[in-house]
Each structure stands twice: as C-alpha cells, then as structure tokens.
Amino acid sequence: MFKKFRRDLKFRYGRQLRQLNYWLVARAAMMIISVLRLLPADSALNFADRVARRVGPWVGRHQVAVDNLRKAYPEKGEAEIQVIASDMWGNMARLAAEYIFLDALFDYDPAASKPGRVEVKGIEHFVEIAGERKPHIVFTGHLGNFELLPVAAATFGMNITALFRPPNNPYLADYILSTRRSTMGSLLPSMAGASFALAGVLENGGNIGILVDQKFSNGLDTTFFGRPCQSNRVLATLARHYDCDVYPARCVRLPGNRFRLEIEDKLTLPRTTDGSVDVHATTQCLNDVVERWVREDPGQWMWFHKRWEIGGGRRKRPHQAKAPVANTPG
C-alpha cells in the first residue's frame, strides 16, 4: 500500500512539474518572440540564425543529428558533417522566427511583374488541383519553411486540409495553432482518428496535405538513406482507397531570406497485379522522394529527429515486409 501511495504521489507531482516546465519554456519563448517582433524581419531572422548556430551544438539533440549525419553520409568528413549540422540549427531557428513574420514574408503575387521573397515552381499544378473537382493528396517533408506551402495553396484557391503534429508543450501548441490557422486554412491535429478525418475530406472531394518524413512506431518497414526505418502507411492507404492523384511539394530556402516553393509532377504510383495502389511500395516511394530532396539541401532538414529508431516489436528486413492487403483508410 505504501508503494502504491508513493507511486501515485510521484505521478501526481511529476505531472505538475512537467506542466511547470512547459509553462516556463513557453514563457521564455514568448519573451524571445516579443524581442524579435521589435526587429525588422530580415534582422530578426539573421539574428535567430546566428544564435542557433552557437547554441545548437550544446543542445542534447545535436549529438543525435551528428550521429544521423555520419550514418547517412559515411563518405563525408567530420568538418563537413559539423557544417551541415550548423546549417540545420540555423534553418530551425529561422523556421521558428518566421512564424512571427509569415504574413510579411509570403509576398507571392501571381500578377506581379517583379519577383518577391517567394517564387513558385509548378504553378500549373497548383492551378490544376484547385480547379479539379476531385480529391488530391499533396505531401512534403520538414524542409526549409514547409509552413509556406499551405499559404501558397490558399493563394491559388486550393482548399486543403493539412495534417500536423502539435508540439508536446500545450502552451506553445496553442500559440502555433493560432498562428497557423490565421494563414493556412484547415488544420487537422495528428491524433487517434485523424486518418478517418482525412478520409472524410477525400470522400467529399477535398484535398489533404501530409508530412511524410517522421518516424512512425509500428509503421511499415521501409528504408531511408539505405537504413531501415518505420513509415506511416496512411497516405498510401488513402491513395489506394480513393485512387486519387498524389503530388510531391517542398520549400527550398534561398539566400537573402527568400524561398522557392515547388510542386512537382504527380507521382506514378506503384500498382499490384490487380491494378490497385501498392501500399508498401508507395510508402517507400515517398521516402525516396524526400531522400532526394534532403540530399540536394541537407542543411535544411531536421537531422535531430530519430527517424531511424525502430519500435513496436521485432523488426523485419525491408525486403521481407509484405504489402498490406487492406484497402480501407486507417
């Protein structure tokens, strides 16, 4: 009985301490945001970049990033690995600071005669998706400022529901969600039942946007940079069930606090012998697309994410994993 009491007490106070830590971190973040708001956008972003490059190597996740880079690029020397890690911290700091200035940063105007901060490649695909009365799936990864993609979609009249994972910190999550909703349209938190909500959007002829480069425990056995990983099957399963077009899209950070938003040609999805979308092969195809993007701009990806961590029981080798036969969303 005493052990149970001690365990309950530890749980109760542990939860309170965690909430206090969340609150303190959020207060500190809000103070930094308040200071950055006083600066012009370019000055604030450059300042955040410089600070992050100095502070990043002292953060615990820095070692995770460096270890991941060594395994992904065994041919690169230590100096080059550290440069990429530094670029990553600069990119992450800019992404955080850009939340404050999203309205000012996104200046793309299809009718403008001169280019602004944001350029768009693949305009015809944005226009096509917006004009077609059928469901589409657009996917991306954590590259550059990926938050600008839904803003661009709205500019072209594309009605899209974006699936996102809110931060664990509830105070920061509320702030980020309010910021996103003001510029990005419909948002769907990643939680239990999200796949059914996405299915409902597609069922009604809508469009969805999904980030596909995160670890997913108990996901399909796939590879990324030639290393085993687990990936979420939801996009491929939805594409199979609704037989809808799937488009890759990304944001590339350019010099001078500029951006290029790209939407590529729709994918030719792998098919099984009966003609339906091959869920496992399609999921691997998404990984291959993201890997190509990351290899082109390695400093613009989240290397501190534990993408290759395997969880949820015994892992099969990628070539042994069987493609799921179910064709319903979930």
Side-chain angles (χ1 to χ4, degrees), residues 232-251:
N232 196 336
R233 60 178 284 164
V234 66
L235 186 155
T237 305
L238 290 171
R240 174 172 174 161
H241 186 72
Y242 293 99
D243 200 22
C244 50
D245 294 336
V246 176
Y247 287 84
R250 64 168 166 169
C251 173

Side-chain angles (χ1 to χ4, degrees), residues 72-90:
Y73 295 104
E75 74 281 3
K76 294 186 182 295
E78 189 62 22
E80 193 172 0
I81 292 295
Q82 293 295 338
V83 168
I84 296 174
S86 179
D87 289 344
M88 176 202 70
W89 288 118

Side-chain angles (χ1 to χ4, degrees), residues 117-119 252-261 300:
R117 283 187 187 272
V118 177
E119 60 183 61
V252 179
R253 193 179 294 281
L254 303 175
N257 295 318
R258 299 182 62 250
F259 311 88
R260 182 173 66 249
L261 306 180
Q300 298 191 27

Side-chain angles (χ1 to χ4, degrees), residues 244-248 265-271 277 281-282 285 289:
C244 50
D245 294 336
V246 176
Y247 287 84
D265 295 341
K266 65 182 178 183
L267 295 181
T268 300
L269 301 180
R271 303 275 172 168
V277 171
T282 295
C285 180
V289 171

Side-chain angles (χ1 to χ4, degrees), residues 194-213:
S195 59
F196 294 102
L198 292 174
V201 174
L202 296 175
E203 187 75 43
N204 293 318
N207 309 303
I208 62 174
I210 304 179
L211 286 153
V212 298
D213 57 343

Side-chain angles (χ1 to χ4, degrees), residues 136-178:
H136 305 81
I137 301 176
V138 180
F139 74 92
T140 189
H142 292 86
L143 292 129
N145 190 333
F146 51 91
E147 305 284 13
L148 291 174
L149 289 167
V151 184
T155 299
F156 288 98
M158 185 194 305
N159 181 21
I160 190 165
T161 298
L163 180 69
F164 80 103
R165 183 186 183 279
N168 293 330
N169 188 317
Y171 305 102
L172 288 178
D174 289 343
Y175 168 75
I176 293 175
L177 183 58
S178 64

Side-chain angles (χ1 to χ4, degrees), residues 257-321:
N257 295 318
R258 299 182 62 250
F259 311 88
R260 182 173 66 249
L261 306 180
E262 301 179 355
I263 183 164
E264 301 178 356
D265 295 341
K266 65 182 178 183
L267 295 181
T268 300
L269 301 180
R271 303 275 172 168
T272 59
T273 54
D274 65 359
S276 60
V277 171
D278 186 322
V279 172
H280 186 269
T282 295
T283 303
Q284 181 60 57
C285 180
L286 305 180
N287 283 1
D288 294 341
V289 171
V290 175
E291 180 179 333
R292 168 170 58 83
W293 292 340
V294 175
R295 287 188 180 277
E296 291 176 9
D297 299 287
Q300 298 191 27
W301 191 62
M302 293 181 179
W303 287 99
F304 58 75
H305 175 58
K306 297 181 180 180
R307 182 67 180 94
W308 292 277
E309 186 176 76
I310 302 296
R314 187 172 65 86
R315 174 175 57 82
K316 297 178 183 178
R317 294 180 182 178
H319 68 273
Q320 292 178 327

Side-chain angles (χ1 to χ4, degrees), residues 19-31:
Q19 288 299 115
L20 176 61
N21 180 64
Y22 284 152
W23 185 85
L24 290 173
V25 170
R27 290 304 94 199
M30 291 302 107
M31 287 178 60

